[in-house]
Amino acid sequence: MARRLTQQDIARMAGVSQTTVSLVLNNRAEGAVRISPETRERVIRVIRETGYIADPAARRLAEGRNRILGVFTYEAVFPATSADFYHPFLVGIEECTEEAGCDLLLFTSARASGGRRRIFDQDSRVRLADGCVLLGHTVDRDDLARLITDQIPFVSVGRREDAGGPVPYVGADYASAAGALVRRAVALGHRRLVYVGAGAGAESWVDRHRGFLDAVTRLDVEGVMVNATPGADPPPGTPGVGPPGVQGGAPDMDAVLGTGATVAFFEEQADAVAFVAAARHRISIPADLSVVTLGSATRPVRSDIDFTGFRIPRREMGRRAVELLTGVIESGGTPQELLPCDLIEGSTLAAVTGGGPRPPAS
Amino acid sequence: MARRLTQQDIARMAGVSQTTVSLVLNNRAEGAVRISPETRERVIRVIRETGYIADPAARRLAEGRNRILGVFTYEAVFPATSADFYHPFLVGIEECTEEAGCDLLLFTSARASGGRRRIFDQDSRVRLADGCVLLGHTVDRDDLARLITDQIPFVSVGRREDAGGPVPYVGADYASAAGALVRRAVALGHRRLVYVGAGAGAESWVDRHRGFLDAVTRLDVEGVMVNATPGADPPPGTPGVGPPGVQGGAPDMDAVLGTGATVAFFEEQADAVAFVAAARHRISIPADLSVVTLGSATRPVRSDIDFTGFRIPRREMGRRAVELLTGVIESGGTPQELLPCDLIEGSTLAAVTGGGPRPPAS
DNA sequence: TGATCATGGTAATGCGGATTATTACTGGGG
DNA sequence: CCCCAGTAATAATCCGCATTACCATGATCA
């Protein structure tokens, strides 16, 4: 390959020193060092004529930064199965990165021997970015801890528990949203509510469950729980955003109906879809039983049901993550934010009419 | 930020020189330089214990490459409007990049003053990548030319005409696909075919039209044309892959029907959708008029019509682009490939029955 | 008239790692 | 006893750019 043009070349052509070229290029002529307008002009002309562009690697090496933001995901970002899931985040991330005049480095390479991605394998390119956004299902605790101890600027999309120190994140306020939905249900006369899901493991599940429980307690109504993920507790990893398609079995319909609750809160929309499909011929929704989903489709499930629930502000989370990240890069800190989720009116939550659903036919 | 660990540090800890560390790290002990097994082991241990990772920028500066592949697009990759369009390409690109053990650099920053993206603005990070994939609608001729003269390894997704030299690309074989569809139509008895579209401007349009014309000529049937992009010739840029939603007006229904053709070939699926929607109450498809689309949805148009046409192998194109790119990076060359498009049987192409469509009611 | 200072620019150095040239030592062969 | 080959590892450079320390010149001032 033809040798690239360097500042040295420009310097020669303009009859000045490499230093001068660098100075001109970076407008560093304010303080101690001065460049005469004529010289400056001459250098600028040569630069323009030759179309010289500084080598980003050398630049980064010398000044320590890059204007490159990294995005790390533990799964492929683009595959069809999770496309719907990741896409909104990426939209937000790209938008904001572009506004910041940065480029985006997707760490697609990092594969540990086991097959799972790891941030810190030998020759990882993480350090090439000024900082990075963590996206995805499972975040390895060790990776997280190392990011912290190494003081690599990063922001996680999705709340994460401490990992040898507080983790900077921007999450969705599942707890509040779940609480709001509980209040709404109670306002409609519901007094016995069932939570269908794991309620543990991933931070996002914990948060939903906590919001549910808090509200139920505060409003002094009955809240019961039906586990929807048999044989999956505790999950091996620590999902924060919510994995596309990791849960196991469908929720036990009889168990849900057997609680005598008048409204069911589903942790995962996919479970709600399965439940409704199965229960449709036995009960009427929402007449016999109201159904609320805690978050919009995480797993790619198609359904024409207009569930009552809330929208996870994924795009905003992506945007905000980048905003926070640039802040961290500039001035450090450990921002932790939860973004509000819009409630979705839907049509599966109605006022209590009769005495609740029929008990299972058994 | 805590200063990062350097080879110098490792060297000190292991009681050797920086050179030795580098040598061990890169397994460069085959030829002239030798490292004893004990020393090597000692260095390796320190590296493992400290978790040292080489600075990618320094590495790139010294050895000239990075294992980073760039992706340049003239529009945002992720925005909702073009999501469906770009996504398959990106899936392929990511897959293949991951297999190659590379990372992906998305050039989201490059914004010219005018607002459009440019590859070569001042402080572009293009050179950080070992090479790059060009994706998208319009590719600036100057950018293209410069990529060539600068000898930056790149591969365009979508055929491109020469720009001061041959352009490496992987495109879709629109010409063959269009020709095959023409043959199929003729086999079903069609003798008068109309091409609806621009047939010029973007390479992809030119190719479709050429395929249509060649086949029509060879089979000695009548081929006519109806321009579907009023006031848009010639297009300002040179789209190669196909732009999401750039064309202007809908095709003129009367003009199409007025040709007396028994089958219409639509350059853009979106036009076909619009046409069918408008014509539905006047003619029956395919009884009165067969409709063929030359390529799957480019613009994000939802339609439940099962058009006869072909599938653009976007994911494969993405994959292949990366494969070719790594080849170019390794050993240069100017690969140019067209990938076949699968025909889609569909239900809008039928045998000729009557005497063609009724003329417009006018 | 020599000290002081503003002006305009350059030489030198560092960033972290790869590579090449060179050194230090040991054992054999002549 | 000296030279050479082989082994093990290091010093010195370079990659391209940013930055700091330093120098040369002419004007100003006491």
Side-chain angles (χ1 to χ4, degrees), chain B residues 7 22 26 28 52 55 59:
Chain B
Q7 288 192 347
S22 173
N26 299 290
R28 285 288 156 68
Y52 165 80
D55 179 334
R59 219 160 172 153

Side-chain angles (χ1 to χ4, degrees), chain B residues 85 172-175 177-178 181 195 204-205 208 241 265-273 291-299 301 307-314 341-344:
Chain B
F85 181 69
D173 193 351
Y174 296 122
L181 287 170
Y195 182 95
S204 62
W205 292 340
R208 286 174 169 92
V241 168
F265 287 72
F266 283 87
E267 195 173 68
E268 284 282 329
Q269 172 149 337
D271 289 340
V273 171
V291 168
V292 171
T293 58
L294 300 177
S296 33
T298 314
R299 289 183 253 167
V301 176
F307 283 110
T308 296
F310 58 79
R311 191 183 66 87
I312 302 174
R314 290 185 279 189
C341 304
D342 305 333
L343 295 195
I344 297 175

Side-chain angles (χ1 to χ4, degrees), chain A residues 261-315:
Chain A
T262 56
V263 55
F265 286 72
F266 284 87
E267 194 173 69
E268 285 281 329
Q269 172 149 338
D271 289 340
V273 171
F275 176 87
V276 170
R280 199 158 237 169
H281 60 287
R282 294 176 53 184
I283 61 172
S284 155
I285 292 174
D288 296 328
L289 176 73
S290 285
V291 167
V292 171
T293 58
L294 299 177
S296 32
T298 313
R299 288 182 253 167
V301 177
R302 280 280 153 259
S303 168
D304 46 3
I305 304 172
D306 181 21
F307 283 110
T308 295
F310 57 81
R311 190 184 68 86
I312 302 174
R314 290 184 280 190
R315 173 160 165 189

Side-chain angles (χ1 to χ4, degrees), chain B residues 63-314:
Chain B
E63 78 181 323
R65 53 156 60 208
N66 240 336
R67 302 197 72 75
I68 287 183
L69 304 184
V71 176
F72 190 89
T73 59
Y74 282 89
E75 301 97 33
V77 210
F78 298 127
T81 58
S82 56
D84 293 339
F85 181 69
Y86 281 123
H87 205 271
F89 291 115
L90 292 172
V91 172
I93 291 175
E94 187 190 17
E95 273 181 12
C96 205
T97 303
E98 173 163 357
E99 286 165 21
C102 294
D103 289 323
L104 218 45
L105 184 53
L106 299 188
F107 298 109
T108 49
S109 73
R111 284 227 155 282
S113 43
R116 266 180 35 71
R117 290 188 177 179
R118 288 294 308 270
I119 298 188
F120 297 100
D121 68 339
Q122 199 56 264
D123 79 45
S124 131
R125 254 91 57 185
V126 208
R127 300 280 334 152
L128 204 51
D130 294 343
C132 67
V133 171
L134 257 53
L135 193 57
H137 175 26
T138 322
V139 167
D140 189 281
R141 300 294 285 192
D142 298 337
D143 281 351
L144 218 44
R146 168 111 195 231
L147 282 169
I148 295 174
T149 61
D150 278 15
Q151 305 194 52
I152 296 180
F154 78 101
V155 171
S156 158
V157 174
R159 186 176 79 81
R160 315 271 177 194
E161 296 290 354
D162 284 15
V167 177
Y169 64 78
V170 48
D173 193 351
Y174 296 122
S176 299
L181 287 170
V182 168
R183 276 197 298 284
R184 185 170 292 201
V186 171
L188 287 170
H190 295 275
R191 292 294 175 269
R192 188 168 177 81
L193 297 65
V194 59
Y195 182 95
V196 187
E203 280 89 344
S204 62
W205 292 340
V206 171
D207 292 352
R208 286 174 169 92
H209 192 220
R210 182 165 46 74
F212 174 84
L213 283 185
D214 284 0
V216 156
T217 305
R218 198 166 325 115
L219 295 172
D220 195 30
V221 292
E222 288 182 89
V224 296
M225 171 153 179
V226 167
N227 203 303
T229 56
D233 57 351
T238 308
V241 168
V246 287
Q247 281 188 300
D252 180 345
M253 183 169 62
D254 290 341
V256 173
L257 295 179
T259 61
T262 54
V263 55
F265 287 72
F266 283 87
E267 195 173 68
E268 284 282 329
Q269 172 149 337
D271 289 340
V273 171
F275 176 87
V276 170
R280 200 160 236 169
H281 60 286
R282 293 177 52 184
I283 60 172
S284 154
I285 293 173
D288 296 327
L289 177 72
S290 284
V291 168
V292 171
T293 58
L294 300 177
S296 33
T298 314
R299 289 183 253 167
V301 176
R302 278 281 152 258
S303 167
D304 47 1
I305 304 173
D306 181 21
F307 283 110
T308 296
F310 58 79
R311 191 183 66 87
I312 302 174
R314 290 185 279 189

